């Protein structure tokens, strides 16, 4: 794994944390909750090195 | 004044818990099959002709320990002669080549010369899928004793091995600008370099095999859409053209199927039929058999379509003369495609041996086109349950 690929994994992990934080803080919109989780799916699968 | 909270958000903690459970279920339901597919080992039985199995990284350490390092099956004859390399799964969604070389691995005995066989050149691609096109993850070939399961891969290596893609892939060493996706396409990264992107390392290792072992002829087995002009053919550069033409004429006359010759374009870089010839003494041949499964205007991408090649939309297009191959209700079955790959490969080896008798390659036990159309590819696969454990390989 080269340095650029490692950085991309770090960025992905950062996005996952950001989306998770937004999910926990969201209090008004059910749509935003669902959309946030849908966006999380491919990011989590990449972090787990599944897809 | 802010909008009133919708009723569904009256108990946010409860809603979030439900959504989190749904998210976990969705991720597991989607992820587990993909994980299993990526780690599934296809079972190959080394037949009586296989004398050695090594890794491609033995020719270039840059591949070692990665998910991109394929097995190389070596079939050495008792008598020295010419050397041929057979590669399949360069594009892992064109599996007729894989099925053909597995028949070679499990049945062929070389009397004179040596065969090097790489069944899954793009291992990473064969462990990847095209979820957006609804590709099946596996397909089964029925045999006389049960069935053999193969992974259905896709054209490009997985981003798990090569990420991120560049905006434009700049071919090495010709500097031609290619599609960004081609950085993961093992038929655009020839001749490669030892420390380049992962797929360049794969093709470089294969080049090193050819250069170090002084391989005389190399085959890259593919499939192409029926609507693509370069299908049902042998693609050959100038230096391979004579043998390719003689082989094409012979299979047409003797075995009754068409496989015309297409010239390898000089200014389109990165392809095996171009770069192997330009960067080594080996004569390259790229074989294309039609694969209706890959055509865009078909019905669902099912295992049935992959195996029988029957599709009503293609049939309609054939009536309008939009296809580059003859197409009728019989479709274009897998056994026919595997048979074409087998017979064309054998005929090229025969023509090469005739032309250079001191480097002849003589082999037995390989079925031909008519055998495969009659018996089916599965008839030629060995039952791993009856094989000695040291002859079984998982790829």
């Amino acid at each position: 794994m080269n340095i650029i690929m490692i950085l991309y994994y770090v960025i992905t992990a950062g996005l996952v944390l950001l989306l998770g934080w937004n999910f926990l803080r969201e209090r008004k919109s059910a749509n935003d909750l669902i959309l946030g989780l849908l966006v999380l799916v491919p990011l989590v699968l990449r972090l787990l090195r599944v897809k | 004044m802010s909008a009133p909270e919708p009723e569904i958000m009256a108990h946010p903690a409860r809603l979030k818990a439900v959504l989190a459970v749904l998210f976990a279920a969705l991720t597991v339901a989607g992820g587990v099959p993909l994980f299993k597919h990526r780690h599934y080992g296809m079972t190959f039985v080394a037949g009586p002709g296989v004398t050695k199995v090594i890794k491609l990284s033995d020719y270039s350490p840059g591949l070692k320990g990665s998910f991109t390092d394929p097995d190389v099956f070596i079939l050495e004859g008792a008598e020295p002669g010419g050397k041929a390399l057979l590669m399949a799964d360069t594009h892992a969604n064109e599996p007729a080549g894989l099925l053909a070389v597995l028949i070679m691995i499990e049945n062929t005995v070389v009397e004179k010369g040596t065969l090097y066989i790489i069944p899954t050149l793009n291992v990473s691609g064969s462990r990847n899928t095209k979820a957006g096109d609804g590709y099946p993850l596996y397909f089964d070939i029925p045999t006389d004793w049960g069935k053999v399961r193969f992974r259905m891969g896709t054209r490009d290596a997985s981003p798990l091995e090569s990420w991120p893609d560049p905006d434009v892939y700049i071919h090495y060493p010709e500097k031609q600008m290619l599609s960004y996706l081609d950085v993961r396409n093992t038929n655009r990264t020839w001749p490669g370099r030892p420390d380049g992107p992962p797929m360049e390392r794969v093709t470089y290792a294969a080049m090193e095999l050819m250069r170090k072992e002084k391989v005389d002829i190399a085959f890259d087995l593919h499939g192409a859409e029926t609507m693509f002009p370069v299908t049902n053919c042998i693609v050959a550069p100038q230096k391979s053209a004579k043998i390719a033409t003689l082989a094409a004429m012979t299979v047409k006359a003797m075995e009754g199927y068409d496989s015309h010759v297409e010239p390898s374009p000089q200014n389109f870089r990165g392809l095996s039929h171009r770069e192997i010839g330009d960067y080594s003494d080996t004569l390259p041949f790229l074989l294309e058999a039609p694969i209706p499964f890959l055509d865009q205007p078909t019905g669902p991408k099912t295992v049935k379509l992959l195996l029988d090649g029957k599709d009503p939309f293609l049939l309609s297009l054939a009536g309008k003369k939009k296809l580059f191959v003859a197409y009728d209700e019989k479709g274009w079955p897998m056994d026919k495609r595997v048979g074409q790959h087998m017979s064309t490969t054998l005929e090229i080896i025969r023509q090469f041996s005739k032309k250079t008798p001191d480097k002849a390659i003589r082999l037995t036990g390989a079925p031909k086109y008519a055998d495969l159309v009659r018996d089916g590819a599965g008839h030629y696969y060995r039952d791993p349950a009856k094989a000695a454990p040291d002859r079984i390989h998982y790829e």
Side-chain angles (χ1 to χ4, degrees):
Chain A
M1 202 182 281
N2 64 34
I3 185 74
I4 297 174
M5 198 164 169
I6 291 168
L7 284 174
Y8 266 66
Y9 275 98
V10 171
I11 293 168
T12 307
L15 282 172
V16 167
L17 288 175
L18 211 62
L19 285 161
W21 180 242
N22 280 347
F23 180 81
L24 291 176
R25 286 186 43 182
E26 179 61 51
R27 297 197 171 275
K28 288 182 182 166
S29 168
N31 274 352
D32 284 359
L33 286 176
I34 294 167
L35 284 174
L37 289 182
L38 284 175
V39 172
L40 263 179
V41 174
L43 300 175
V44 169
L45 289 178
R46 179 59 55 90
L47 275 186
L48 296 174
R49 292 189 53 77
V50 170
K51 183 77 177 98
Chain B
M1 203 174 102
S2 60
E5 282 188 12
E7 201 176 323
I8 196 169
M9 292 301 281
H11 302 285
R14 200 178 299 166
L15 178 66
K16 285 176 188 177
V18 170
L19 288 176
V21 169
L22 279 174
F23 165 77
L26 197 64
T27 307
V28 170
V32 167
L34 295 172
F35 182 86
K36 282 186 176 170
H37 173 259
R38 182 167 159 81
H39 294 272
Y40 179 79
M42 295 185 288
T43 311
F44 298 164
V45 178
V50 175
T51 49
K52 214 186 293 175
V53 182
I54 59 170
K55 300 298 278 187
L56 188 58
S57 58
D58 291 352
Y59 293 95
S60 181
L63 284 183
K64 228 178 224 6
S66 72
F67 244 55
T68 57
D69 186 9
D71 284 338
V72 183
F73 291 77
I74 305 177
L75 290 75
E76 294 160 300
E79 209 181 321
K83 294 178 177 180
L85 168 66
L86 277 72
M87 297 173 285
D89 262 12
T90 299
H91 293 150
N93 55 350
E94 300 163 11
L98 170 63
L99 270 56
V101 299
L102 184 56
I103 290 172
M104 295 282 243
I105 289 168
E106 298 198 350
N107 297 276
T108 304
V109 174
V110 178
E111 295 174 345
K112 181 180 167 72
T114 306
L115 288 187
Y116 298 85
I117 303 179
I118 305 176
T120 51
L121 182 73
N122 187 350
V123 186
S124 173
S126 83
R127 295 179 184 280
N128 192 14
T129 184
K130 206 170 179 184
D133 273 16
Y135 271 27
L137 292 176
Y138 309 92
F139 63 95
D140 295 329
I141 297 293
T143 68
D144 300 344
W145 44 267
K147 61 187 179 185
V148 185
R149 170 155 284 199
F150 294 90
R151 282 191 309 269
M152 178 67 185
T154 189
R155 182 179 173 88
D156 305 307
S158 168
L160 295 179
E161 272 70 60
S162 181
W163 189 48
D165 294 332
D167 290 338
V168 172
Y169 170 54
I170 299 171
H171 176 264
Y172 176 85
E174 303 290 343
K175 296 189 169 61
Q176 186 170 56
M177 288 198 283
L178 300 170
S179 157
Y180 73 99
L181 263 179
D182 287 333
V183 74
R184 291 190 273 124
N185 178 350
T186 34
N187 202 25
R188 295 296 183 276
T189 56
W190 296 90
R193 51 190 149 172
D195 52 357
M199 293 308 107
E200 282 191 5
R201 296 182 192 205
V202 173
T203 49
Y204 177 81
M207 286 300 301
E208 283 294 280
L209 185 161
M210 286 181 261
R211 288 188 283 242
K212 285 182 182 164
E213 302 296 345
K214 301 193 188 322
V215 168
D216 299 295
I217 47 177
F219 298 87
D220 188 9
L221 306 183
H222 284 254
E225 299 89 333
T226 61
M227 295 185 78
F228 186 60
V230 185
T231 190
N232 211 27
C233 61
I234 307 167
V235 188
Q238 194 59 39
K239 69 193 228 184
S240 309
K242 192 175 174 187
I243 290 175
T245 306
L246 286 167
M249 286 165 62
T250 308
V251 296
K252 174 94 176 165
M254 306 299 290
E255 306 201 41
Y257 69 86
D258 179 45
S259 186
H260 63 281
V261 178
E262 289 279 348
S264 167
Q266 286 187 7
N267 297 320
F268 187 4
R269 307 311 307 198
L271 296 119
S272 61
H273 52 75
R274 177 79 263 142
E275 310 297 355
I276 290 174
D278 286 2
Y279 286 89
S280 74
D281 295 328
T282 307
L283 300 178
F285 301 87
L286 186 147
L287 276 48
E288 296 277 17
I291 169 168
F293 181 92
L294 292 187
D295 279 294
Q296 287 301 314
T298 66
K301 304 292 185 192
T302 59
V303 171
K304 185 179 176 304
L305 174 61
L306 177 69
L307 297 183
D308 68 15
K310 289 181 188 171
D311 182 79
F313 300 101
L314 288 184
L315 193 58
S316 163
L317 288 165
K320 294 172 180 142
K321 302 197 183 309
K322 300 290 184 194
L323 308 187
F324 288 90
V325 291
Y327 191 89
D328 58 23
E329 291 80 4
K330 292 181 201 150
W332 207 287
M334 180 67 90
D335 295 329
K336 185 175 155 81
R337 287 176 257 157
V338 176
Q340 286 190 207
H341 276 331
M342 287 293 294
S343 270
T344 309
T345 301
L346 294 172
E347 187 54 35
I348 289 172
I349 291 175
R350 197 180 74 84
Q351 292 293 344
F352 170 78
S353 302
K354 235 168 89 176
K355 193 168 170 248
T356 51
D358 55 318
K359 289 184 175 179
I361 301 168
R362 205 169 55 239
L363 42 91
T364 60
K368 297 183 91 174
Y369 175 74
D371 302 318
L372 281 149
V373 170
R374 186 189 61 235
D375 302 328
H379 177 70
Y380 297 95
Y381 294 134
R382 289 173 186 270
D383 184 354
K386 291 182 181 161
D390 64 333
R391 305 300 285 175
I392 298 175
H393 295 267
Y394 297 99
E395 177 84 24

